[in-house]
Amino acid sequence: VQPIMGVVDDTTLACTYAALILHDSEAKIEAAAIEKILAAAKVTVPGFYPCMYEKALANADVKEMLKSAITVGGGGGGGGGGGGGGA
């Protein structure tokens, strides 16, 4: 018996990848397009997932979301260099 979280994770990943494919193709992220990609990949997800992704990303700036996801926090500067050798 597979735990529910494993199924949810696979579903989430499949829909996320489909949305990223659409974004990368400069296509509109719509439920029908997500379903088409999933069907081509022979992936089955609950019917509400593609609709949920469409609504969640309808007005989102996906490019900016991706940039912020990979941006490392503004940590402090690097440590000081080693001291110079004495004479």
Side-chain angles (χ1 to χ4, degrees):
V1 175
Q2 187 174 1
I4 296 294
M5 283 305 293
V7 173
V8 172
D9 288 344
D10 292 345
T11 298
T12 302
L13 282 173
C15 289
T16 300
Y17 289 144
L20 288 172
I21 289 168
L22 291 168
H23 169 71
D24 193 48
S25 301
E26 297 181 3
K28 200 168 183 185
I29 299 173
E30 297 177 328
I34 292 171
E35 291 169 352
K36 187 174 180 179
I37 290 171
L38 295 176
K42 297 183 173 109
V43 175
T44 305
V45 300
F48 67 90
Y49 266 84
C51 294
M52 182 176 66
Y53 271 75
E54 177 181 353
K55 288 182 181 188
L57 298 172
N59 296 315
D61 184 350
V62 176
K63 185 175 183 176
E64 190 58 38
M65 289 171 65
L66 291 170
K67 280 184 185 177
S68 66
I70 62 171
T71 301
V72 178

